[in-house]
Amino acid sequence: MAADGERVAIVGAGLAGCLLAVLLGRRGIPVTVYERRPDPRIAGAERGRSINLAISARGLAALEQVGLRDQSLKQALPMHGRMVHPLPGAQNFQPYSADGERAINSISRAELNRSLLDTAEATPGVTLRFSQRVTGVDTEAGAILLEDAGAEPAGVVLAGDGAYSAVRRSMELDEDADFLEHGYKELTVPPRDGEFALDPDALHIWPRGTAMMIALPNLDRSFTCTLFWPKGDFGALDTPAKVTAHFERHYPDVAGLMPDLADDYELNPIGSLVTVRCRPWTRYGPGAKVALLGDAAHAIVPFFGQGANCAFEDCIEIDRCLAETGGDWGRALTLYQERRKANTDVIAEMALDNFVEMRDRVSSPVYRAKQAAAHALERRLAGRYVSRYELVSFSTMPYAEIPARIRRQNRALAGAVLGSAAVLGLGVRALLRRRR
């Protein structure tokens, strides 16, 4: 499977890079993983850069492949629905599934990365190299380019180096980076008297029209909160007093639960939200074959909780394509791109749409009534009518097939309703004739 002795390099020791290293190592393929950061298990995570993960069916299926599903679930907290905090009004719980039993799982990105790093390090044939910044790839010479260290040979380069991928830039692909006008900033709700200050069985949302805040529970009984605001709004709160007053006015039910609010707001950075679309994901030269995966190929905004789940599916697909092609990297990577590109385009659009839903629609009584009606249909027509959310989060149906599935079932439902109305109309006319 080492394909003519080609040296395999993975760029990025994040979630996707580590998972792929384990999958390849278990196939007997020697892999070197290059990571620009120091080892995060030693140096720790960057302040204010976590954005807790919501791992669901796709991510769990991938983790199952490397024996980490159960361990990951032990590090996670299930969230069975959204707890919406409108202004004004009482909070309300909106279950994710029709039966109320299914949940997405809140897990620390740093903890999951540590588990994957440990597993990769223990996999024969996998070498991890930290503080090694890859600046590009030379497909002619068959080498990766390292900052301050020249070049190192690599016949296959798999780039999982994130939304601002240096490898992607060096490939000069047709790409589009679409930045939201919104940025994000993280805050913390610590435990209160040793317990959760909010309901830990929910993803909390404070929808505020053009902005919102969310909160996900952690095992230490804290919550990681993330503000999603127009970037210009962050600078307006330039004193602790303004920060406190703003949160007391706009987030009154949680402001008093954040003793470090002013410090977190001042010290934590503002992150950007970007959707990356590019084509192709692969480039072959006489010396090297290169492919992008995860955010390097298709960064999406985090509002459907599918970024990590989607990247994990990339890794599983690469592994599957290698098996199907007998280790032919050229054929395998071409097949991988053909199978995944349409799927990632679709989830990118759904994630953008879900942002509008979370910051605006969820507080609407009309939205809540529609969700209740959809769940009633799912219970009555089990397996025949399934909501978009359930297909995305609680199945492994390819993302690209979901819109067509939704259209088909909606047409069938509309046809059934019209048919029932026609039958009812015939019955009414027959009754009127008898009465005459």
Side-chain angles (χ1 to χ4, degrees):
M1 290 295 295
D4 300 325
E6 293 172 310
R7 185 172 183 272
V8 178
I10 293 177
V11 183
L15 301 176
C18 287
L19 178 66
L20 184 56
V22 175
L23 292 168
L24 298 183
R26 292 186 177 184
R27 286 194 174 278
I29 302 174
V31 178
T32 302
V33 183
Y34 296 83
E35 170 55 49
R36 64 177 178 81
R37 303 168 298 168
D39 188 338
R41 296 169 296 179
I42 299 170
E46 297 176 80
R47 179 180 178 125
R49 295 291 192 189
S50 64
I51 300 193
N52 282 39
L53 301 172
I55 294 295
S56 49
R58 299 167 197 273
L60 292 175
L63 292 168
E64 179 76 30
Q65 296 294 309
V66 295
L68 286 178
R69 183 182 187 277
D70 291 343
Q71 178 182 327
S72 298
L73 285 174
K74 289 177 182 177
Q75 299 174 332
L77 288 166
M79 301 178 292
H80 287 85
R82 298 165 171 165
M83 186 69 77
V84 179
H85 301 248
L87 183 68
Q91 64 186 32
N92 60 86
F93 182 76
Q94 300 175 10
Y96 283 131
S97 66
D99 59 11
E101 297 296 319
R102 294 174 176 168
I104 59 177
N105 301 282
S106 173
I107 185 168
S108 161
R109 178 184 294 272
E111 287 300 321
L112 183 55
N113 203 176
R114 287 190 192 102
S115 297
L116 284 162
L117 282 166
D118 289 343
T119 304
E121 195 168 54
T123 302
V126 175
T127 301
L128 301 177
R129 290 176 55 181
F130 296 98
S131 300
Q132 299 282 306
R133 183 184 292 272
V134 174
T135 60
V137 60
D138 185 339
T139 57
E140 294 291 321
I144 57 170
L145 309 178
L146 296 170
E147 186 177 64
D148 302 325
E152 293 191 2
V156 175
V157 180
L158 306 168
D161 53 339
Y164 307 105
S165 169
V167 173
R168 186 183 69 238
R169 289 198 302 270
S170 75
M171 292 167 67
E172 298 181 350
L173 305 175
D174 180 13
E175 67 173 90
D176 174 55
D178 182 17
F179 286 87
L180 285 185
E181 65 168 342
H182 293 70
Y184 72 88
K185 182 186 282 283
E186 292 188 355
L187 306 171
T188 301
V189 172
R192 192 176 193 184
D193 299 325
E195 296 300 328
F196 288 103
L198 302 167
D199 183 350
D201 191 36
L203 186 155
H204 293 258
I205 306 177
W206 289 260
R208 297 297 183 263
T210 61
M212 70 172 179
M213 181 171 73
I214 67 171
L216 278 72
N218 301 307
L219 287 179
D220 66 0
R221 293 182 168 78
S222 69
F223 281 82
T224 298
C225 302
T226 309
L227 302 172
F228 296 100
W229 290 0
K231 286 186 177 179
D233 290 359
F234 287 104
L237 306 182
D238 53 6
T239 68
K242 288 182 180 179
V243 172
T244 301
H246 182 88
F247 277 78
E248 287 176 347
R249 183 166 61 254
H250 294 282
Y251 307 95
D253 60 342
V254 73
L257 304 177
M258 302 167 132
D260 298 322
L261 170 60
D263 286 344
D264 283 348
Y265 189 91
E266 178 185 0
L267 297 175
N268 288 350
I270 300 171
S272 295
L273 299 164
V274 63
T275 300
V276 172
R277 301 175 182 87
C278 70
R279 188 170 184 90
W281 294 355
T282 59
R283 175 149 293 170
Y284 303 154
K289 303 174 185 68
V290 185
L292 306 174
L293 66 140
D295 284 355
H298 50 74
I300 63 176
V301 293
F303 304 113
F304 223 129
Q306 288 297 301
N309 293 285
C310 183
F312 283 168
E313 283 194 321
D314 288 351
C315 301
I316 296 300
E317 192 61 59
I318 290 172
D319 186 55
R320 181 183 297 121
C321 291
L322 272 175
E324 292 178 12
T325 60
D328 184 326
W329 279 105
R331 289 170 54 209
L333 295 179
T334 298
L335 188 59
Y336 149 72
Q337 176 184 269
E338 290 173 354
R339 290 178 176 176
R340 291 295 295 158
K341 182 68 169 71
N343 289 298
T344 60
D345 286 346
V346 167
I347 190 57
E349 293 305 315
M350 289 195 286
L352 288 166
D353 179 67
N354 224 43
F355 181 33
V356 179
E357 178 172 307
M358 292 174 71
R359 77 184 196 207
D360 192 7
R361 299 175 194 152
V362 294
S363 58
S364 163
V366 174
Y367 173 87
R368 292 171 61 188
K370 288 174 63 177
Q371 290 299 99
H375 282 168
L377 281 170
E378 287 182 87
R379 289 189 293 269
R380 187 174 183 85
L381 303 172
R384 289 177 289 167
Y385 185 92
V386 186
S387 72
R388 184 180 75 165
Y389 192 91
E390 294 226 8
L391 291 172
V392 170
S393 297
F394 304 131
S395 85
T396 56
M397 174 181 285
Y399 296 121
E401 295 180 12
I402 292 174
R405 162 68 188 260
I406 297 297
R407 288 193 296 271
R408 286 197 303 272
Q409 67 185 24
N410 285 345
R411 283 198 298 268
L413 182 63
V417 170
L418 289 173
S420 298
V423 170
L424 179 61
L426 289 173
V428 169
R429 286 195 291 273
L431 178 61
L432 290 174
R433 283 196 297 271
R434 285 199 297 273
R435 286 183 174 180
R436 292 192 188 107

